[in-house]
Amino acid sequence: MTGVQTCALPIFSYVTAVRRDGVLADFRNLAGEGKTLVVYMGLGNAADISAALKADGVAGDFPVAIIENATRADERRFVTTVDGLAATITAHAIRSPALLMIGKVATAASARVRAEDTAVTNGALNWVHFAHG
C-alpha cells in the first residue's frame, strides 16, 4: 500500500520507585529517547533512581519534571535533569505527594511557562516553577 503514513506511538511507563520488599524498582529500558517514565513515590530514592537510569544508558542531561501536589491549588512543578534530580528536590524542599516524569515531556512543560511563572537558574541546573491554573 502506498501513501500510508505510520506514526510511532510514544512509550509511557508508570512505576512506583520501590517494590513491596523495599528494593528499588527495575527501570531498565523504561526511560530514554522516545520514552517517558513516570515514577510515583520516588522523592526519597531520587539519587538511586538517577544512578539506575544512568547505569541503563540514560544521559545525565536527560530532562526530568517533578510535580508536587498535582492538580491542587498548591501544585509546584520543577524541570531539571537526571543528574540534578536529587539536588532539585533538596533545594526546593519538595514533599510528597510528587511525581517524577522522566523524558522529553519535561522540556515541553518548561516551554509552556506563562509570564507570571518563574524561571530560575542556578549554575548549570535549570528548573521552572509553574503557577497553578
Side-chain angles (χ1 to χ4, degrees):
M1 185 182 257
T2 60
V4 174
Q5 294 181 333
T6 59
C7 178
L9 296 175
I11 299 171
F12 289 86
S13 299
Y14 300 85
V15 299
T16 57
V18 295
R19 302 182 322 206
R20 286 185 184 186
D21 60 5
V23 174
L24 191 67
D26 183 357
F27 300 114
R28 285 179 292 177
N29 299 314
L30 297 180
E33 292 300 322
K35 301 174 187 174
T36 299
L37 172 61
V38 180
V39 180
Y40 296 89
M41 301 179 285
L43 293 181
N45 300 91
D48 294 332
I49 291 168
S50 292
L53 292 170
K54 289 174 68 175
D56 191 42
V58 177
D61 64 352
F62 202 66
V64 178
I66 306 165
I67 300 97
E68 176 188 65
N69 294 318
T71 75
R72 296 181 182 174
D74 59 345
E75 175 180 311
R76 295 192 303 160
R77 296 183 187 189
F78 301 90
V79 177
T80 186
T81 63
V82 169
D83 281 341
L85 178 59
T88 301
I89 291 168
T90 300
H92 296 283
I94 298 171
R95 303 280 180 237
S96 292
L99 296 173
L100 309 178
M101 298 182 74
I102 302 151
K104 298 287 173 128
V105 68
T107 56
S110 68
R112 297 179 55 194
V113 177
R114 300 185 317 235
E116 66 270 24
D117 296 328
T118 308
V120 182
T121 301
N122 181 8
L125 175 65
N126 296 311
W127 63 87
V128 178
H129 172 248
F130 292 80
H132 182 73

